[in-house]
Amino acid sequence: MRHLLTLLSLLAAASPAAAGLTVFTCEPEWAALAEELGGEQVEVYSATTARQDPHHIQARPSLIAKVRRADLVVCSGAELEVGWLPMLLRQARNPVVLPWRPGHFEASSFIKRLAIPAELDRSEGDLHAAGNPHVHLDPRRVAIIAEALAGRLSERDPDHADHYRRRHEDFARRWQQAIARWEQQAAPLRGVRAVVHHKDWVYLFDWLGMVEAGALEPKPGLPTSPGHLATLKQELERQPAAMILHTAYQSDRAAQRLSAMHGIPVLKLPYTVGGSERAADLFALFDETIERLLAAAR
Ligand SMILES: [Zn+2]
């Protein structure tokens, strides 16, 4: 009998404790945040990588299966995933993760969104009709979202509420220290003008006081055109910019063309976690972004 008990306890110790929550995220930044807050209690899967355009992905059967098993779906919202998430949710038939249910978390709903159109019209293109959805590049907003997400993890997994609270306290402390450091480092970026490929950067610019000098896309989601590039070149001759920014998920062709016409450097930034070798977590994402912006602005 004693041997049997020893054997059973050995088996129990050997089998990994089941994770408290299965979290499906739409973008890698929210997977990174869920891992910061959940640690070993969460099993996290991201639908997209930094090299995929989060506006447009295929609603593959493998993704539907992941949503079906999820306890919590974490996405940017504000229509960023409107082209694919509704289809995944419909096909997955997992009622708890449907919008407005406890298993559905929209990061952009917790913060003040920028660039909300004054009137509901799609004249600015089909994307961003609910305001700009690329909310993760302002760490002050990430702090607000982190607090909300920690609360939601506790709600979904109350047995481990203490665990999520402790991890959030630790994250929030390190994050505030990092924000203070980043703001000090990034002071010379205030007023620096940059051309963007897509309006991915409005929250970063809002935080750092940088200025969007134009976008390669004439309207969000529309491809650039020779006429639009010529207009941009004229505008840059009147008011120069220091760099042209694009992400790991965008082709650099339009950026290189404008660079060849106007002679300003092209800068590829990680944009999200996994967008470069170094940007392996949220802290490294901002470290690298600020260092590379500073180097390009010199
Ligand atoms: Zn967008």
Side-chain angles (χ1 to χ4, degrees):
M1 186 63 189
R2 235 179 85 208
H3 287 303
L4 181 62
L5 285 177
T6 312
L7 183 66
L8 284 175
S9 62
L10 277 175
L11 281 173
S15 62
L21 285 177
T22 303
V23 181
F24 176 98
T25 75
C26 289
E27 291 87 22
E29 57 269 24
W30 308 130
L33 186 60
E35 274 164 4
E36 291 278 0
L37 301 174
E40 71 280 8
Q41 282 303 326
V42 293
E43 191 186 312
V44 181
Y45 178 83
S46 176
T48 59
T49 71
R51 287 174 175 73
Q52 285 175 295
D53 181 346
H55 308 88
H56 306 288
I57 61 161
Q58 290 274 329
R60 303 189 305 275
S62 60
L63 291 179
I64 295 165
K66 297 273 188 200
V67 173
R68 187 169 296 144
R69 285 199 304 273
D71 300 305
L72 182 60
V73 164
V74 180
C75 297
S76 296
E79 298 195 5
L80 178 60
E81 305 91 358
V82 73
W84 52 275
L85 184 61
M87 160 103 84
L88 283 185
L89 292 174
R90 218 169 24 246
Q91 305 237 347
R93 296 174 194 280
N94 176 0
V96 79
V97 299
L98 291 175
W100 315 114
R101 299 295 312 277
H104 193 96
F105 183 95
E106 274 197 14
S108 65
S109 70
F110 296 93
I111 49 102
K112 188 170 174 285
R113 281 202 302 283
L114 297 173
I116 295 178
E119 291 168 41
L120 189 62
D121 78 78
R122 306 244 165 198
S123 63
E124 278 302 304
D126 269 345
L127 303 181
H128 304 179
N132 192 291
H134 302 279
V135 297
H136 68 285
L137 285 176
D138 175 355
R140 301 166 306 179
R141 285 175 163 91
V142 171
I144 296 167
I145 293 164
E147 188 174 354
L149 183 57
R152 190 66 67 88
L153 291 168
S154 295
E155 269 173 52
R156 299 294 295 133
D157 180 18
D159 287 352
H160 297 105
D162 261 5
H163 166 84
Y164 300 118
R165 186 183 45 74
R166 274 198 311 273
R167 285 196 69 101
H168 172 252
E169 279 172 9
D170 176 55
F171 171 80
R173 186 181 43 75
R174 289 181 294 122
W175 194 245
Q176 290 306 331
Q177 286 168 356
I179 289 178
R181 185 178 80 240
W182 292 325
E183 289 182 347
Q184 201 172 20
Q185 284 172 336
L189 293 172
R190 191 154 288 278
V192 168
R193 293 163 53 80
V195 176
V196 301
H197 178 115
H198 174 73
K199 289 179 183 288
D200 287 308
W201 310 100
V202 295
Y203 295 91
L204 183 76
F205 288 6
D206 181 59
W207 173 46
L208 296 178
M210 288 180 65
V211 179
E212 187 183 296
L216 297 171
E217 293 179 344
K219 287 175 180 176
L222 293 185
T224 196
S225 64
H228 181 64
L229 285 184
T231 309
L232 267 181
K233 180 178 180 278
Q234 279 172 8
E235 286 169 10
L236 290 176
E237 275 157 10
R238 274 200 307 276
Q239 253 196 312
M243 61 192 94
I244 309 169
L245 294 184
H246 73 96
T247 69
Y249 79 79
Q250 290 149 352
S251 150
D252 69 345
R253 273 188 36 221
Q256 296 295 356
R257 226 177 308 156
L258 182 66
S259 173
M261 287 161 70
H262 188 64
I264 54 173
V266 174
L267 183 62
K268 176 180 166 181
L269 289 176
Y271 171 69
T272 184
V273 175
S276 71
E277 211 171 306
R278 182 175 164 200
D281 63 25
L282 287 164
F283 291 89
L285 168 67
F286 283 96
D287 284 340
E288 179 175 355
T289 300
I290 286 167
E291 278 175 32
R292 303 204 46 213
L293 284 169
L294 284 167
R298 253 180 223 128

